[in-house]
């Protein structure tokens, strides 16, 4: 019976076990060889000793090179080396798949992340990308655990939608129309009534609006699914396809929203510190020094909560030279967000009460008639990791705002119904999952924390 390498324990010493995996490295000397075998279940893999006691030795060694897949049966012993606790004395080796040493791109030397992006199908076989995959998985598990433990219901919101949640127009069109022969209406415009859904449809930018409908029936829900944004921004924090977690709570205001965001983030950080120690040590040592301390520091301190207006004062008085200047009413750039979290407060900051003009139509209007009950959570290295708000639950105010923005109310009839039939205060937020993985691992580019990144000009694999 095959055992996963991470499951090998002290009690298995002196037992005959079988492991399967890929060769990370092989070192040959006159009388024996060392193979490091990795099956992805942990970072370190298992050291295998191949010698006279191994069937077909030394012939078998000639066919084994980095990247080969092997099934090895042998006796587990205490390792004399300091690097590992155990090693396996191979009794028999079966080569499952040979690997051409000439052309295999993952040789022992260090590769750049840019290069590894061009072989995204093989990069999970490197230490870094294996560790990222395991940590990403742990964060997804922690997400479900947190919301389930707190009574939230997991909701699957639609991927194809006819409404533009953010009103930002950065959407990918979904169509089955023949692009060579587009049907036109009498005004010469494309006739989408003939399209698959009988209207214009897109890939969703957010499941929030649908999430609100379920929150206004089941109280607390969360979504965790893909979002798509056709933003032509080649940054290290934007993807065209990313995963978003969107909780929505009924009977909740902005304060409840902030508390939920802070508790959720802290829960995730605590979870990886406790459950991904080997990988976290790796990130701390090789990716970003101090990553573990960075996470611990966040766990041990309350987030700073601050009005947008106060943040503008701080930014205007900062001695730092920003590329973009700020005035009350301007949208903060990533450099401003990072300054607040990294340098000024040195901890996560929740900015609230943004000017209405720079936020979405559905946010609850404050009594000052200028700001809305929005909140963004800003963290070091990343900037905005969460965007959320209390939602406008007053029908008249919502309709007035939609009219001001010339939004087609007929497309949102169902959304407006929520304010007609038993409206309740409610609030929620969206967290970009890759930004969380980016922060936790200390990686620099968001394209390296999703298995197959999609960004302008890139949809390979
Ligand atoms: P930004 O200003 O950084 O573009 P946003 O204001 O457009 O973010 P929201 O619409 O509030 O973001 O979306 C909620 C969250 O989704 C953000 O806080 C961020 O974590 C994440 N997010 C948004 N756009 C992207 C993207 N293109 N790639 C990855 N994550 C994203
Ligand atoms: Mn954006």
């Amino acid at each position: 019976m095959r055992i996963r390498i991470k499951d090998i324990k002290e009690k298995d010493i002196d037992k005959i076990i079988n492991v399967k995996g890929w060769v990370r490295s092989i070192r040959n000397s006159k009388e024996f060889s060392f193979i490091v075998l990795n099956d992805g279940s942990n970072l370190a893999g298992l050291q295998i000793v191949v010698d006279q006691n191994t069937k077909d030795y030394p012939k078998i060694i000639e066919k084994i090179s980095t990247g080969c897949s092997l099934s090895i049966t042998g006796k587990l012993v205490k390792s004399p080396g300091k690097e590992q606790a155990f090693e396996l004395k191979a009794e028999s080796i079966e080569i499952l798949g040979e690997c051409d040493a000439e052309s295999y791109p993952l040789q022992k030397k260090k590769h750049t992340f840019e290069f590894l992006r061009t072989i995204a199908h093989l990069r999970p076989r490197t230490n870094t990308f294996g560790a990222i995959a395991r940590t990403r998985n742990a964060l997804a598990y922690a997400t479900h655990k947190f919301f389930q433990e707190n009574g939230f219901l997991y909701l699957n919101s639609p991927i194809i939608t006819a409404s533009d949640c953010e009103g930002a127009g950065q959407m990918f069109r979904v169509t089955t129309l023949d692009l060579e022969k587009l049907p036109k209406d009498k005004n010469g415009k494309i006739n989408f009534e003939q399209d698959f859904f009988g209207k214009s449809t897109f890939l969703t930018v957010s499941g929030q609006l649908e999430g609100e409908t379920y929150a206004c029936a089941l109280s607390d829900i969360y979504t965790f699914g893909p979002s798509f944004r056709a933003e032509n921004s080649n940054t290290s924090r934007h993807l065209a396809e990313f995963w978003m977690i969107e909780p929505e709570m009924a009977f909740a205001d902005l304060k409840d929203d902030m508390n939920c965001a802070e508790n959720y983030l802290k829960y995730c950080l605590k979870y990886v510190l406790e459950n991904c120690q080997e990988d976290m040590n790796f990130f701390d040592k090789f990716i970003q020094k101090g990553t573990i301390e960075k996470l611990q520091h966040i766990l041990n301190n309350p987030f700073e909560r601050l009005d947008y207006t106060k943040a503008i004062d701080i930014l205007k008085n900062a001695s730092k030279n920003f590329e973009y200047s700020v005035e009350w009413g301007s949208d903060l750039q990533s450099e401003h967000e990072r300054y607040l979290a990294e340098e000024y407060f040195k901890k996560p900051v929740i900015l609230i009460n943004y000017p209405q003009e720079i936020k979405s139509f559905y946010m609850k209007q404050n009594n000052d008639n200028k700001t809305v009950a929005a909140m963004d959570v800003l963290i070091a290295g990343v900037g905005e990791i969460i965007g959320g708000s209390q939602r406008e639950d007053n029908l008249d105010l919502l309709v007035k705002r939609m009219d001001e923005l010339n939004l087609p109310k007929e497309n949102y009839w169902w959304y407006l119904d929520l304010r007609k039939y038993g409206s309740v205060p409610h609030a929620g937020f969206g967290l970009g999952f890759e930004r969380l993985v980016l922060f936790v691992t200390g990686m620099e580019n968001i394209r390296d924390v999703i298995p197959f990144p999609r960004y302008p000009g890139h949809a390979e694999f």
Side-chain angles (χ1 to χ4, degrees):
M1 248 286 275
R2 170 193 168 224
I3 180 168
R4 283 202 179 83
I5 291 173
K6 81 157 189 242
D7 294 329
I8 298 173
K9 298 276 143 66
E10 199 76 28
K11 65 170 177 34
D12 298 311
I13 285 182
D14 289 337
K15 282 195 191 144
I16 302 291
I17 61 169
N18 171 259
V19 290
K20 293 182 167 68
W22 295 265
V23 175
R24 274 297 169 79
S25 65
I26 174 161
R27 257 187 311 134
N28 297 322
S29 68
K30 246 195 188 137
E31 269 136 40
F32 56 88
S33 296
F34 281 135
I35 293 173
V36 176
L37 196 77
N38 187 290
D39 66 2
S41 64
N42 72 358
L43 181 79
L46 182 64
Q47 173 151 290
I48 317 284
V49 187
V50 188
D51 60 16
Q52 310 295 343
N53 302 314
T54 311
K55 198 167 155 266
D56 298 334
Y57 182 84
K59 268 218 97 47
I60 185 120
I61 282 297
E62 287 166 22
K63 291 194 199 140
I64 300 177
S65 59
T66 304
C68 272
S69 48
L70 305 177
S71 169
I72 304 176
T73 303
K75 190 173 173 184
L76 191 75
V77 297
K78 258 209 164 74
S79 174
K82 310 197 262 310
E83 300 258 310
Q84 61 276 324
F86 324 110
E87 57 190 33
L88 190 67
K89 288 200 167 300
E91 291 178 358
S92 66
I93 299 180
E94 185 192 345
I95 298 176
L96 301 173
E98 288 181 24
C99 180
D100 177 36
E102 287 287 302
S103 60
Y104 188 55
L106 291 177
Q107 301 303 335
K108 191 82 193 150
K109 74 177 180 97
K110 207 164 160 19
H111 300 287
T112 66
F113 293 143
E114 286 75 19
F115 169 71
L116 290 172
R117 246 172 256 150
T118 68
I119 49 164
H121 60 308
L122 293 174
R123 67 178 183 170
R125 296 190 193 180
T126 63
N127 281 340
T128 303
F129 287 87
I132 293 169
R134 284 184 296 271
T135 306
R136 185 180 164 108
N137 171 67
L139 286 167
Y141 185 63
T143 293
H144 283 295
K145 219 161 125 56
F146 173 82
F147 287 111
Q148 294 292 332
E149 284 170 7
N150 284 286
F152 287 65
L153 180 139
Y154 176 40
L155 177 77
N156 300 119
S157 48
I159 310 253
I160 298 174
T161 170
S163 49
D164 176 0
C165 170
E166 295 300 312
Q170 300 168 315
M171 303 184 86
F172 289 102
R173 180 177 294 285
V174 174
T175 181
T176 53
L177 289 179
D178 181 350
L179 298 183
E180 306 286 338
K181 283 186 278 171
L182 289 170
K184 299 283 169 68
D185 64 15
K186 52 183 184 308
N187 301 321
K189 294 247 162 75
I190 297 167
N191 184 359
F192 286 104
E193 279 174 21
Q194 291 190 31
D195 204 348
F196 189 90
F197 296 104
K199 53 159 87 166
S200 267
T201 50
F202 305 90
L203 292 177
T204 185
V205 293
S206 159
Q208 179 200 318
L209 304 190
E210 289 90 352
E212 282 185 50
T213 70
Y214 268 66
C216 291
L218 295 151
S219 295
D220 297 315
I221 63 95
Y222 69 106
T223 69
F224 186 172
S227 297
F228 307 87
R229 295 191 187 181
E231 40 199 346
N232 217 340
S233 48
N234 260 305
T235 79
S236 57
R237 293 163 305 99
H238 289 90
L239 290 162
E241 177 181 289
F242 63 101
W243 287 69
M244 186 141 69
I245 291 129
E246 296 184 276
E248 190 71 34
M249 298 166 282
F251 319 110
D253 60 15
L254 189 64
K255 193 151 177 243
D256 300 313
D257 210 25
M258 288 191 277
N259 291 342
C260 179
E262 180 166 345
N263 291 339
Y264 163 52
L265 269 177
K266 285 181 168 170
Y267 186 95
C268 287
L269 304 189
K270 186 157 183 279
Y271 188 85
V272 289
L273 285 176
E274 286 171 0
N275 293 280
C276 306
Q277 283 170 5
E278 188 190 27
D279 291 325
M280 286 310 303
N281 286 335
F282 172 84
F283 297 132
D284 201 310
K285 198 162 166 203
F286 296 109
I287 301 297
Q288 183 189 55
K289 298 231 162 10
T291 297
I292 291 179
E293 210 188 304
K294 172 184 87 176
L295 302 192
Q296 276 159 349
H297 178 72
I298 292 187
L299 285 182
N300 296 332
N301 292 287
F303 292 7
E304 186 71 31
R305 300 178 180 200
L306 186 76
D307 259 51
Y308 166 91
T309 302
K310 286 215 182 97
I312 293 293
D313 287 341
I314 292 173
L315 291 168
K316 284 174 102 169
N317 292 323
S319 51
K320 201 177 170 87
N321 275 327
F322 294 114
E323 197 182 330
Y324 296 87
S325 63
V326 280
E327 286 301 324
W328 197 95
S330 54
D331 211 352
L332 298 188
Q333 301 292 326
S334 163
E335 57 172 345
H336 307 124
E337 298 174 339
R338 291 182 56 174
Y339 171 80
L340 292 169
E342 276 166 41
E343 297 178 43
Y344 194 85
F345 291 106
K346 297 191 166 53
K347 58 180 180 169
V349 178
I350 310 184
L351 273 197
I352 56 170
N353 300 327
Y354 281 75
Q356 169 169 274
E357 301 308 323
I358 57 171
K359 288 289 181 187
S360 301
F361 74 94
Y362 51 71
M363 297 189 180
K364 176 116 194 118
Q365 296 162 39
N366 288 328
N367 291 332
D368 61 10
N369 284 325
K370 305 195 297 200
T371 62
V372 288
M375 63 146 196
D376 279 4
V377 180
L378 318 177
I379 51 167
V382 172
E384 177 187 335
I385 189 168
I386 286 178
S389 67
Q390 186 174 340
R391 320 306 187 187
E392 184 55 78
D393 55 331
N394 178 301
L395 181 66
D396 296 336
L397 291 176
L398 184 59
V399 166
K400 189 162 155 273
R401 186 65 190 147
M402 290 178 84
D403 285 338
E404 282 167 10
L405 295 169
N406 280 321
L407 287 174
K409 287 198 297 294
E410 61 281 8
N411 291 357
Y412 294 89
W413 62 274
W414 50 274
Y415 189 69
L416 293 170
D417 267 3
L418 299 180
R419 280 76 184 164
K420 261 188 228 163
Y421 307 129
S423 191
V424 293
H426 60 289
F429 61 81
L431 170 130
F433 189 53
E434 286 72 24
R435 294 201 186 166
L436 177 62
V437 183
L438 197 61
F439 180 71
V440 166
T441 59
M443 291 291 289
E444 281 185 358
N445 197 316
I446 198 162
R447 296 168 187 176
D448 296 327
V449 298
I450 187 165
F452 299 102
R454 270 82 179 97
Y455 51 101
H458 295 266
E460 186 75 13
F461 307 105

